[in-house]
Amino acid sequence: MVKLNKDIFKVANKSLRSRLIVGTGKYTSFTETAKAVKASGAEMVTVAVRRINILDKKKPILTDFLNPKKIIYLPNTAGCFNSEDALRTLRLAREMGGWKLVKLEVLGDKKTLYPNMIETIKSTKILVKEGFKVMVYCTDDPLLAKKLEDNGASAIMPLASPIGSGLGIQNKMNISMIIKQSKVPVIVDAGIGTASDATIAMELGCDGVLINSAIANAKKPILMAEAFKNAVISGRNAYLAGRMKKNQVASPSSPLKGII
Amino acid sequence: MAKIQLNGKKISIKSNFSLFDLLKKYKLNKKKVAIEHNGIIIQKVNFKNKYLKNNDKVEIVHFIGGG
């Protein structure tokens, strides 16, 4: 067990004990968000940057429920469909809290929310030059993932399936290829539907998983957050333990010697 | 008096009104926001000396829940 305690997740100069990163969108209230984050054991959360509603002065704000001094905020560029908007959003995020660690996602299609990889690579290059640590949401194409790494991405975050779809990992082979070739952490982001999907990602050798909808849209989000916490630990431990070889034939579990 | 556009909405402010005054008017904590003034991000230390004029466009943003 000593070895497992030393299994620290290092990403963009941060050392984390939990390999689960959770999103903070889609909850019914900030109280529920805070409870789910706590139950998940996550030490890093994604957040969005939006206009303040100036007409409603009493509206609660996220930072009052999740203290950015206690939990790492990972500002995202959700809803950005070009490089310009994504850069604008992240520069504002940096000014807001002084964070240089960000999640980049440049979307290409409103229906599938698939990332526009041309704009994503372009943005990564610029942000890295400006000193940002960029964790990048991307397609599960190994060639493009390599391009991101070559351009200085701090983490590669391929989708399991479309954002919010809950369809789980659709292309295990591609995710495995990306894991094999990457020197930076690989975090499966988007499309995870339930706890076992996260376990599969971790068993494949992913460094972490990012979950939002699967927890927030569960009937009992806080219980699901706990399920994901355990699923990620189980998957990671199974990966570290090394699974048995698959055999085409049966092999008895009890000794044949001494049968009466 | 000056008319500016704040987060897409037209509002009227007094003359010699700074970004700092604008935050005060809406009871906003400067630590929790970022401001863009006519497309340029303004550093927090400059909120007090950045005065608003007619037709200025201001965006005040903060962090919300997101995936």
Side-chain angles (χ1 to χ4, degrees), chain A residues 54-55, chain B residues 2-6 9-13 17 22 25-26:
Chain A
I54 50 166
L55 299 176
Chain B
K3 279 186 179 164
I4 64 157
Q5 201 173 314
L6 172 60
K9 289 187 178 64
K10 281 186 180 142
I11 62 154
S12 293
I13 49 161
F17 213 66
L22 193 65
K25 178 178 158 84
Y26 289 99

Side-chain angles (χ1 to χ4, degrees), chain A residues 23-25 46-52 54-55 57 61-64 76 88 91-92 95-96 99 212, chain B residues 6-9 25-26 28 31-36 41-44 59-67:
Chain A
T24 55
T46 59
V47 294
V49 176
R50 291 290 182 270
R51 277 174 168 171
I52 276 179
I54 50 166
L55 299 176
K57 291 180 192 174
I61 56 172
L62 182 69
T63 45
D64 291 336
N76 71 19
R88 181 187 183 198
R91 285 169 184 149
L92 277 164
E95 185 52 36
M96 194 150 17
W99 290 283
N212 190 349
Chain B
L6 172 60
N7 286 3
K9 289 187 178 64
K25 178 178 158 84
Y26 289 99
L28 298 169
K31 284 183 186 161
K32 294 174 179 175
V33 301
I35 304 183
E36 195 185 72
I41 296 169
I42 307 297
Q43 288 188 312
K44 290 180 204 283
E59 294 283 348
I60 305 179
V61 298
H62 66 161
F63 288 127
I64 66 150

Side-chain angles (χ1 to χ4, degrees), chain A residues 8-249:
Chain A
I8 298 292
F9 175 30
K10 282 188 182 155
V11 60
N13 293 342
K14 305 272 183 198
S15 294
L16 308 173
R17 274 162 304 173
S18 171
R19 291 176 177 271
L20 175 60
I21 302 169
V22 295
T24 55
K26 296 183 175 176
Y27 287 96
T28 51
S29 69
F30 284 145
T31 310
E32 188 182 59
T33 314
K35 277 185 185 165
V37 170
K38 198 172 174 210
S40 76
E43 294 160 292
M44 187 183 274
V45 296
T46 59
V47 294
V49 176
R50 291 290 182 270
R51 277 174 168 171
I52 276 179
N53 182 356
I54 50 166
L55 299 176
D56 186 359
K57 291 180 192 174
K58 281 181 188 152
K59 213 176 169 196
I61 56 172
L62 182 69
T63 45
D64 291 336
F65 292 81
L66 284 174
N67 186 348
K69 282 185 182 138
K70 289 185 180 157
I71 197 146
I72 300 164
Y73 268 41
L74 184 63
N76 71 19
T77 57
C80 292
F81 281 83
N82 57 59
S83 180
E84 203 183 318
D85 288 348
L87 296 175
R88 181 187 183 198
T89 302
L90 294 179
R91 285 169 184 149
L92 277 164
R94 176 172 59 180
E95 185 52 36
M96 194 150 17
W99 290 283
K100 284 195 171 176
L101 177 64
V102 293
K103 175 189 161 185
L104 174 71
E105 61 177 273
V106 187
L107 304 175
D109 177 56
K110 288 206 162 99
K111 201 174 169 192
T112 61
L113 295 180
Y114 245 64
N116 178 333
M117 290 306 296
I118 296 158
E119 292 285 298
T120 301
I121 292 166
K122 195 171 111 185
S123 311
T124 303
K125 221 182 256 185
I126 297 168
L127 289 165
V128 168
K129 239 181 220 166
E130 290 182 18
F132 283 94
K133 296 266 177 217
V134 200
M135 296 169 67
V136 193
Y137 170 62
C138 58
T139 55
D140 58 7
D141 180 328
L143 275 177
L144 294 172
K146 182 75 175 43
K147 262 264 186 304
L148 287 176
E149 187 173 348
D150 292 345
N151 279 291
S154 291
I156 307 293
M157 305 210 283
L159 52 83
S161 49
I163 296 174
S165 69
L167 292 171
I169 300 179
Q170 290 296 306
N171 198 334
K172 283 203 248 177
M173 190 189 72
N174 277 23
I175 299 288
S176 292
M177 283 164 83
I178 293 171
I179 291 166
K180 215 170 176 188
Q181 72 179 18
S182 301
K183 290 187 181 72
V184 294
V186 176
I187 299 159
V188 161
D189 178 7
I192 296 284
T194 188
S196 55
D197 293 337
T199 306
I200 291 169
M202 295 310 292
E203 283 174 348
L204 287 174
C206 282
D207 295 280
V209 291
L210 198 162
I211 317 285
N212 190 349
S213 305
I215 297 175
N217 288 349
K219 284 195 183 87
K220 295 179 181 173
I222 296 149
L223 186 57
M224 189 56 97
E226 201 186 321
F228 268 103
K229 176 187 175 176
N230 294 326
V232 169
I233 293 170
S234 288
R236 178 66 181 173
N237 286 356
Y239 169 74
L240 292 175
R243 64 155 295 145
M244 66 167 280
K245 211 176 115 231
K246 288 182 183 176
N247 298 309
Q248 292 297 321
V249 290

